[in-house]
Amino acid sequence: MVVQAPKETPQEIMSAIEAVMVNEFRVCQSLLTVLQQERQALVQKDVNALSHLVEQKETLLDELGSDEESRRSQLEKLAQNCGLKNEVLSLNELLLRLQLTASERVYRLQEGIVALQSKIRELNRANLALAEMNMERITALQNYLVGLFSSPSYYEASGAATKAGLPPASYGMDHRG
């Protein structure tokens, strides 16, 4: 005899969705903080801080992806639970369709997450522009330095006389001081 786990109620699934959204909100807040720190590190050209912040960002982005997947899974479970098996709906569409009353917290969480994600995108774009500007400066400086040491005029001063068959200018001179 196979014992089936009791079917979760829509309210229980909504509670699980809310818990995931709370974590998602917190992760977005943390990501925004890391991006602000990244901005400072870019301005100060602190490579060590940047490398540490990149690791933090990767961890937060992984957690955010996991939360989004969990929320999507819970939404699918809620849709299946209510007989909407083959339809892909957003949380708002699903709640309207099922005529479920979600708590005001879920709506505020969703609005907060969207607002944070907008700030994250904006700050990320600004940080990218700053990083690109720093890379352009580094590349220009590197090209300048390489150009100084690889330009023909740098080597011609000592090599020009020998090419003409003349001895070097210091040939035969006493170098004692």
Side-chain angles (χ1 to χ4, degrees):
M1 177 166 118
V2 176
V3 178
Q4 290 183 342
K7 191 175 182 182
E8 288 180 285
T9 66
Q11 205 55 35
E12 290 171 329
I13 298 171
M14 279 303 300
S15 293
I17 290 171
E18 185 177 349
V20 169
M21 290 177 73
V22 165
N23 192 58
E24 192 174 352
F25 183 81
R26 289 182 180 148
V27 170
C28 284
Q29 285 179 316
S30 296
L31 186 56
L32 187 60
T33 300
V34 167
L35 286 169
Q36 290 166 339
Q37 292 170 350
E38 181 183 60
R39 161 72 60 87
Q40 288 302 316
L42 283 166
V43 168
Q44 296 170 354
K45 297 168 182 63
D46 186 349
V47 176
N48 292 330
L50 278 171
S51 110
H52 177 69
L53 292 168
V54 165
E55 290 172 14
Q56 285 182 326
K57 268 178 35 175
E58 287 174 352
T59 301
L60 290 170
L61 290 172
D62 288 345
E63 188 174 351
L64 195 56
S66 175
D67 285 345
E68 288 176 2
E69 177 61 28
S70 180
R71 182 168 35 106
R72 188 194 58 74
S73 172
Q74 292 293 333
L75 286 172
E76 284 178 6
K77 189 187 300 184
L78 182 60
Q80 288 176 357
N81 189 308
C82 297
L84 302 171
K85 294 181 182 185
N86 296 326
E87 298 183 47
V88 178
L89 304 170
S90 71
L91 179 61
N92 286 339
E93 292 171 332
L94 190 59
L95 295 175
L96 287 171
R97 193 94 175 263
L98 300 174
Q99 297 178 353
L100 291 174
T101 55
S103 70
E104 187 64 29
R105 289 186 311 234
V106 171
Y107 289 117
R108 279 186 296 199
L109 276 169
Q110 190 170 21
E111 289 173 356
I113 290 169
V114 169
L116 283 172
Q117 288 174 340
S118 176
K119 287 180 183 178
I120 287 168
R121 274 190 293 279
E122 180 182 316
L123 191 54
N124 203 39
R125 280 189 209 115
N127 286 357
L128 176 62
L130 189 55
E132 287 174 346
M133 184 180 72
N134 285 340
M135 285 300 297
E136 287 173 8
R137 284 181 177 167
I138 290 169
T139 302
L141 178 61
Q142 182 181 16
N143 290 338
Y144 173 75
L145 291 173
V146 167
L148 280 178
F149 293 106
S150 64
S151 72
S153 62
Y154 181 77
Y155 293 107
E156 278 182 16
S158 64
T162 54
K163 285 183 187 174
L166 301 173
S170 63
Y171 185 76
M173 294 186 168
D174 191 4
H175 291 286
R176 288 179 253 162

